[in-house]
Amino acid sequence: MSADCQVYLLDPKNLSPETIAVTFAKTSRSPQSFREIAAELNDEKSAQFHEKWVVGYGHASVAEHAVLHIAVENCSRLAVEALESCRLASYTEKSTRYQKWTPQDHHTPTELDGHALKPVFIRTIEALFTSYQEALPAVKAVIEQEHPREEGESDGAWERRIRSRYVDICRFYLPAAALANVGMTINARALEHSISKMLSHPLLEVQALGRELKRVAQENTPTLVKYANPIPYLDAVQSDLTRSAAEFLPQSSERSDWCQLVDYDREVENRILTACLYRFGGNDYAHTLSSIRNLIPTDRQRLAQEILASLEKFVIPLRELEYGNFTFDLMLDQGGYFELKRHRMMTQTPQMLTTRLGYA
């Protein structure tokens, strides 16, 4: 590192997210240091910059430097699903594995106001929460027998050790209407798109959440998200493709396997080995792929060992493993999907949550 190299933070306590974004954007044209650029800016100048370059000229990548930390409380788990559909963000939810829900912790959709099914919905929700509350001590007693208190272990330590086990089992009673809290860290560019999607969502709760996110975000990024509006395209696509799916797809027969590998690249191993050697070698991709195809099995195994054998716990493998793609069709309950959805380095296409495949 050179003697002149400097590394420092632009403190969000002193600079707004929009000002930080402009500071970074200006460095592509200005010879000044980041500190000097930031010193010349204020919120008004930053807003003018964003109006001209981000909104007017479409330089949306600038908005990625404006980062917000947003707390969302007491929205349904179904609304959380819509919120977390933006994968270019970080989320932490109130855990159904470690926390217990009370009978009041649920959302009643506005769509049911005045509807004949509203009393049925409420009775069903109340029955689920009653079963949940009754199951907690019963399942806990079983877990206590399977995992007895260790010698010298306090009541509190024992409870903490077994809590996740019995609460985790009982959480499958919780309906999609159960309330949840989620903390979100997201940049303004991704947030604008996320808000637009939520404003275009068919559920009124999600639309309301989108409006509130926009209001709160504008307190810190008044320019970068103010043009987040419903997207007619999303509404049209959902309507058209729902109709076409009913028209073109036959009624599917009952499936026997909850996990099906429906497609994969037949050369997945070749592509991964090729990508790894391409990175560290000097040949072009086509020549490298041809060489890999001609390797004998023992040499291929040796390469695989070199790529994976020295991996330690918590170490992420080479990115070149992403050259291998698999498509799975999974049939999961909502609790199972919660475990899967947190793995965001993939493309997930969930269907609408219904009782068509069964329910607990």
Side-chain angles (χ1 to χ4, degrees):
M1 191 169 82
S2 74
D4 295 329
C5 180
Q6 295 187 60
V7 179
Y8 54 91
L9 293 175
L10 293 187
D11 193 345
K13 295 178 182 178
N14 302 321
L15 301 171
S16 71
E18 289 199 350
T19 297
I20 291 175
V22 174
T23 301
F24 287 153
K26 280 181 170 287
T27 196
S28 66
R29 301 289 192 274
S30 173
Q32 295 176 295
S33 71
F34 290 113
R35 289 192 180 98
E36 291 170 331
I37 296 172
E40 296 177 352
L41 295 172
N42 55 37
D43 289 346
E44 182 180 356
K45 290 181 179 179
S46 298
Q48 291 172 352
F49 180 95
H50 289 305
E51 283 282 4
K52 179 178 180 179
W53 296 104
V54 179
V55 178
Y57 286 90
H59 295 305
S61 61
V62 174
E64 294 177 13
H65 289 298
V67 177
L68 298 175
H69 307 279
I70 302 176
V72 178
E73 297 180 352
N74 297 321
C75 61
S76 73
R77 296 167 76 189
L78 206 55
V80 169
E81 292 295 318
L83 176 65
E84 294 182 353
S85 66
C86 176
R87 62 182 170 185
L88 298 178
S90 299
Y91 308 94
T92 301
E93 287 182 43
K94 177 180 178 180
S95 174
T96 55
R97 176 174 292 162
Y98 297 102
Q99 298 195 54
K100 300 175 183 178
W101 265 241
T102 70
Q104 293 74 40
D105 295 335
H106 66 84
H107 170 73
T108 301
T110 305
E111 288 89 339
L112 289 178
D113 288 350
H115 198 287
L117 288 177
K118 184 174 182 177
V120 178
F121 174 86
I122 293 175
R123 286 198 302 270
T124 303
I125 294 295
E126 290 175 346
L128 286 170
F129 272 95
T130 297
S131 298
Y132 171 75
Q133 294 290 332
E134 293 174 348
L136 286 169
V139 176
K140 180 182 179 181
V142 175
I143 297 299
E144 286 177 339
Q145 292 180 352
E146 295 179 350
H147 302 273
R149 183 190 304 177
E150 297 175 353
E151 184 177 352
E153 188 175 28
S154 67
D155 289 345
W158 186 31
E159 166 65 18
R160 287 190 295 273
R161 182 164 61 86
I162 66 172
R163 184 185 183 93
S164 63
R165 297 178 185 274
Y166 72 86
V167 175
D168 186 42
I169 294 171
C170 297
R171 66 179 172 150
F172 289 95
Y173 276 114
L174 295 174
L179 297 180
N181 298 343
V182 58
M184 175 175 65
T185 299
I186 189 170
N187 68 61
R189 183 183 189 180
L191 179 60
E192 181 186 37
H193 180 58
S194 183
I195 291 172
S196 293
K197 288 197 302 180
M198 297 180 77
L199 295 176
S200 309
H201 198 278
L203 292 180
L204 295 179
E205 182 197 10
V206 177
Q207 294 174 24
L209 180 56
R211 290 192 294 270
E212 186 64 6
L213 282 171
K214 181 177 179 179
R215 183 192 68 78
V216 169
Q218 283 191 272
E219 295 176 2
N220 286 90
T221 53
T223 310
L224 293 177
V225 299
K226 75 176 182 179
Y227 295 105
N229 294 309
I231 304 173
Y233 161 79
L234 294 178
D235 182 60
V237 164
Q238 175 170 311
S239 176
D240 291 344
L241 293 183
T242 299
R243 183 175 59 253
S244 294
E247 178 182 353
F248 297 132
L249 299 181
Q251 290 292 326
S252 59
S253 57
E254 187 173 333
R255 56 191 290 176
S256 58
D257 193 350
W258 67 272
C259 177
Q260 298 176 346
L261 175 61
V262 295
D263 190 30
Y264 67 96
D265 185 346
R266 268 60 180 175
E267 280 207 283
V268 60
E269 187 175 280
N270 286 338
R271 298 196 188 283
I272 292 174
L273 296 179
T274 296
C276 290
L277 288 195
Y278 178 84
R279 173 177 172 179
F280 297 103
N283 289 329
D284 60 72
Y285 187 90
H287 182 268
T288 306
L289 177 59
S290 176
S291 299
I292 289 294
R293 285 171 174 160
N294 292 325
L295 287 180
I296 61 175
T298 54
D299 287 340
R300 300 169 67 86
Q301 185 174 8
R302 181 189 130 198
L303 282 176
Q305 288 284 333
E306 291 174 352
I307 294 168
L308 300 172
S310 60
L311 270 177
E312 297 178 350
K313 193 175 183 180
F314 304 125
V315 175
I316 298 174
L318 294 178
R319 188 172 181 178
E320 281 66 29
L321 268 70
E322 294 179 13
Y323 279 81
N325 290 305
F326 300 82
T327 301
F328 290 91
D329 187 14
L330 305 176
M331 183 171 63
L332 303 169
D333 56 57
Q334 191 184 29
Y337 177 61
F338 276 9
E339 298 299 322
L340 176 69
K341 70 170 185 174
R342 68 183 65 188
H343 301 287
R344 314 193 67 77
M345 295 301 293
M346 65 173 78
T347 297
Q348 299 180 8
T349 305
Q351 293 180 334
M352 183 181 296
L353 184 65
T354 73
T355 58
R356 180 174 56 85
L357 299 173
Y359 56 92

